[in-house]
Amino acid sequence: MFIGTEKLTHTYMPGTPFATEALQDVSFNLQQGEFALIIGPSGSGKSTLIQHLNGLLRPTSGRVLFEGIAVGSNKHELLRLRRRIGLVFQIPEEQFFSESVFDEIAFAPRNLGLDESEVEKRVNESLEKVGMQAEKFRNRHPFRLSAGQKRLVAIAAVLSLQPEVLIFDEPTVGLDAISRKNLYNLLTALNQKDGLTVIISTHHLDQAAALADSVLVLNQGRLVMAGPAENIFNKRKQLYELGLTLPPVTEIMHELAEKGLPVKTAVYTLQEARGEIKNMKRRYKP
Amino acid sequence: MVSRSAAIVEAKNVDYYYPGEGETVWPALSGINLTVAQGEYVALIGPNGSGKTTLLKLFNALLTPFGGEILVQGISTANEETLPAVRQACGMIFQNPDNQLVATTVEEDIAFGLENLALPPAEIRRRVEDVACLLGLRKLLRQPPHLLSGGEKQKVAIAGVLAMEPRCILMDEPTAMLDPAGRQDVIDTVRDLNKRQGIAVVHVTHFPEEAAWADRIVVLNEGQLIVQGSPEDVLTDLSLLHELKLQGPAAVELAALLREDGYRLPPQILHNRELVDSICSLERKN
């Protein structure tokens, strides 16, 4: 086990009439280098779970484990842990406060007490990683970038800590098609080339579904399904009952299968769907 | 049947720019001419930074144009005295409902605008009741808004606008932060208001599948109105959409790939069902 939870329970406002169980007995584990999705209806506990994974929230009961050891224990003292597990909030650019892209990204490395040459190096590396030329962007005002660029700067700010795990709460909110695609290309590269473990909570499976190794499904604070992506996405009926939908392409494949056509439904990209429909003819006469 | 002859909102040769600091000042909008008729459902699409949100804010008189003019029911938005009439006729729904819910209970929130109109209490009560019934919010009236789900919050925001008895609802990516069920609920609610009450809708979205349900699509790019037309014409024009780095609905994109592979599909496939039915009838012939 690399990162996961053991009977994690979280109660907001415990001991008051407003006490709400946001998570109940949630147990799962992910391997190093996995690309995992957390899905579930609004209010199912996704954001609560994410905040536990880098120790922003502390369990009411149960444990969060990193490398098999409890988060918040001596070995994984929280401040040090948060350098290794980076968390990117929803619409992270709303938290910008610096006058330049450079200062925005340098904030965390400076807080680590690194000397200015190392800070400089980390800022440049982080910008290059997200595909922005350091020379061109370092002096720009972060508020004057496009929506897609702002999102990338916010991610670069987390990458400057050189984390091993990257967690995103709904990474593509408000982005257009091309920025969504660029963002997922970046996440794929971070996951496959740099070996980062990536965990994403999202309502928009369009691009995410094709990349996921494993999927956790939350409903009303409970983990109701967990496993390899293909197994979860094939349970269309159960997902429907939770108010969740599959990517539009996958929906088309399911509708074709329902009409009796011999197609595989675990298809998440246009090109896969095209290939699958082309191959149909062969299946009529095996 | 609602008469469509009269214009609800008109942009006449509108220019707008955000003042830059030492950088080139890009026009956010230039030379925009657009008329939204009574009872019409218009989807506004375009890449990030194309001017969609700016145009909505101009329609709602949150911004006023530097060149040209905006008329709401024939009243110019440039005139300070008539602002309340403009904003009453043209209500705004933002991406994040948390940014526009102000009161401590749902009913007070819905009543907020009405109280500002200084309507008699009995009239306020009647309107709050009516919109709560219409949108299925009656059970939630005494609840604090922050304890609702995202979809419920967005419906409370819509209720607050609807209570003002607007002729047009402006929506800026109203479903971006919602789960699939909440998304569907909000879209169904707005389509129903549009069809049954003849309230015009201007809907900014990054999701082509949502835009496909509009009467008319308006495409913006770099502050200019590039093209407008029916969803069947605009959303099936993939060479245009791709040039602007936009996506077509999944059914349109997949149909285009299949046509390259020799599938003889009808030209105006827009929705999943049309694609699935066409593929099935082709397969049956074989």
Side-chain angles (χ1 to χ4, degrees):
Chain A
M1 167 194 268
F2 182 58
I3 188 165
T5 61
E6 226 177 54
K7 288 186 169 291
L8 175 64
T9 295
H10 189 91
T11 309
Y12 284 111
M13 296 185 275
T16 75
F18 302 105
T20 358
E21 293 246 289
L23 291 174
Q24 288 177 60
D25 281 331
V26 171
S27 304
F28 70 92
N29 69 74
L30 299 174
Q31 302 305 316
Q32 188 158 18
E34 266 195 89
F35 198 115
L37 298 182
I38 303 176
I39 62 175
S42 299
S44 58
K46 300 186 296 298
S47 297
T48 304
L49 177 57
I50 274 180
Q51 290 175 65
H52 273 283
L53 294 181
N54 83 339
L56 276 182
L57 292 174
R58 307 295 297 132
T60 306
S61 66
R63 300 194 299 168
V64 179
L65 298 169
F66 183 55
E67 297 173 322
I69 296 162
V71 163
S73 64
N74 282 339
K75 172 148 194 292
H76 290 320
E77 184 267 320
L78 292 176
L79 277 177
R80 266 187 301 142
L81 183 80
R82 289 187 193 125
R83 291 177 212 168
R84 302 182 62 192
I85 305 176
L87 174 55
V88 181
F89 287 101
Q90 202 169 111
I91 320 185
E93 57 275 16
E94 281 182 355
Q95 299 167 40
F96 283 172
F97 53 86
S98 297
E99 300 273 314
S100 73
V101 166
F102 186 92
D103 286 341
E104 191 64 54
I105 300 172
F107 180 78
R110 277 178 184 148
N111 264 354
L112 294 183
L114 299 173
D115 63 56
E116 200 58 19
S117 66
E118 174 67 14
V119 169
E120 169 109 23
K121 191 168 147 258
R122 291 221 184 172
V123 173
N124 291 342
E125 280 173 5
S126 309
L127 273 173
E128 298 293 339
K129 271 228 161 89
V130 301
M132 298 173 82
Q133 291 167 314
E135 274 315 303
K136 191 170 157 198
F137 286 102
R138 53 181 287 154
N139 294 324
R140 294 280 299 272
H141 198 297
F143 292 100
R144 301 202 178 281
L145 301 171
S146 77
Q149 289 167 340
K150 281 184 195 167
R151 191 69 48 91
L152 292 176
V153 168
I155 294 170
V158 175
L159 290 178
S160 68
L161 288 165
Q162 301 182 339
E164 296 154 60
V165 182
L166 258 190
I167 306 173
F168 293 87
D169 196 353
E170 197 67 77
T172 58
V173 165
L175 297 187
D176 60 11
I178 188 74
S179 310
R180 293 201 295 266
K181 201 171 152 202
N182 289 343
L183 183 62
Y184 273 109
N185 286 344
L186 167 66
L187 299 187
T188 309
L190 291 171
N191 176 244
Q192 293 178 0
K193 251 178 58 202
D194 300 342
L196 266 68
T197 306
V198 176
I199 303 172
I200 294 178
S201 116
T202 185
H203 291 314
H204 295 290
L205 290 175
D206 304 28
Q207 275 110 338
L211 301 172
D213 297 314
S214 54
V215 179
L216 307 171
V217 186
L218 289 173
N219 188 43
Q220 296 183 347
R222 290 183 181 275
L223 188 66
V224 290
M225 286 185 234
E230 188 164 326
N231 295 357
I232 304 293
F233 292 139
N234 262 334
K235 294 179 179 155
R236 184 190 184 213
K237 271 225 176 77
Q238 284 109 302
L239 293 174
Y240 256 32
E241 281 160 18
L242 298 175
L244 302 175
T245 53
L246 297 168
V249 180
T250 317
E251 286 294 334
I252 293 173
M253 301 311 283
H254 274 281
E255 287 178 32
L256 288 172
E258 275 172 7
K259 297 258 180 173
L261 297 186
V263 289
K264 191 174 86 177
T265 53
V267 163
Y268 311 114
T269 66
L270 288 169
Q271 290 299 346
E272 281 178 333
R274 173 194 211 172
E276 194 55 32
I277 291 170
K278 243 168 137 180
N279 284 338
M280 216 160 38
K281 296 232 165 52
R282 248 178 279 153
R283 293 206 192 95
Y284 285 124
K285 291 170 196 153
Chain B
M1 194 59 199
V2 182
S3 152
R4 286 215 173 158
S5 50
I8 266 298
V9 188
E10 286 173 277
K12 289 186 169 171
N13 214 12
V14 163
D15 296 329
Y16 188 83
Y17 55 86
Y18 292 96
E21 286 168 0
E23 289 171 49
T24 327
V25 180
W26 291 100
L29 290 172
S30 58
I32 300 291
N33 286 295
L34 179 65
T35 302
V36 179
Q38 272 195 34
E40 200 183 10
Y41 196 127
V42 174
L44 207 52
I45 65 173
N48 286 131
S50 57
K52 307 181 297 294
T53 299
T54 305
L55 188 55
L56 279 198
K57 286 180 175 169
L58 285 163
F59 284 167
N60 189 232
L62 285 173
L63 303 172
T64 44
F66 288 110
E69 66 173 344
I70 303 273
L71 301 175
V72 173
Q73 291 194 311
I75 307 168
S76 166
T77 59
N79 199 336
E80 191 100 10
E81 289 89 70
T82 45
L83 276 186
V86 165
R87 298 211 174 109
Q88 182 272 319
C90 232
M92 181 88 128
I93 305 290
F94 295 94
Q95 181 186 85
N96 184 352
D98 287 335
N99 291 348
Q100 73 186 108
L101 300 180
V102 291
T104 51
T105 66
V106 167
E107 65 179 344
E108 282 172 29
D109 200 275
I110 299 173
F112 182 78
L114 303 174
E115 285 167 351
N116 281 343
L117 293 183
L119 293 176
E123 171 68 6
I124 293 179
R125 202 153 282 288
R126 182 190 68 78
R127 288 208 202 173
V128 170
E129 271 294 307
D130 285 357
V131 296
C133 269
L134 193 66
L135 300 187
L137 295 171
R138 284 195 66 184
K139 282 192 184 137
L140 303 177
L141 281 175
R142 301 282 148 83
Q143 296 248 8
H146 69 272
L147 294 183
L148 306 181
S149 76
E152 287 167 342
K153 282 183 196 171
Q154 199 59 290
K155 280 172 77 177
V156 172
I158 294 172
V161 166
L162 204 58
M164 303 290 281
E165 300 184 344
R167 298 314 307 149
C168 181
I169 298 181
L170 310 168
M171 306 196 293
D172 194 359
E173 290 190 65
T175 64
M177 305 184 75
L178 307 184
D179 64 8
R183 227 182 295 166
Q184 198 56 51
D185 195 12
V186 165
I187 294 295
D188 290 347
T189 300
V190 173
R191 285 182 67 201
D192 197 57
L193 291 171
N194 172 255
K195 292 274 163 303
R196 292 221 293 225
Q197 307 206 5
I199 297 175
V201 175
V202 184
H203 179 177
V204 168
T205 180
H206 283 306
F207 293 95
E209 287 82 8
E210 274 182 12
W213 297 107
D215 297 322
R216 180 158 54 121
I217 309 279
V218 173
V219 186
L220 293 182
N221 190 45
E222 294 181 350
Q224 306 206 354
L225 199 160
I226 300 295
V227 72
Q228 49 178 320
S230 69
E232 288 77 9
D233 289 338
V234 177
L235 293 177
T236 56
D237 187 350
L238 290 182
S239 53
L240 170 85
L241 294 177
H242 291 173
E243 197 190 315
L244 298 175
K245 299 195 158 67
L246 299 173
Q247 271 175 341
V252 176
E253 297 275 359
L254 184 53
L257 295 176
L258 293 174
R259 284 189 200 103
E260 280 177 24
D261 295 341
Y263 273 77
R264 290 208 187 142
L265 297 167
Q268 291 202 323
I269 286 177
L270 190 58
H271 299 288
N272 285 6
R273 178 132 311 270
E274 293 154 7
L275 177 63
V276 169
D277 289 347
S278 304
I279 294 175
C280 286
S281 68
L282 281 179
E283 292 299 322
R284 241 174 269 125
K285 277 185 213 152
N286 289 336

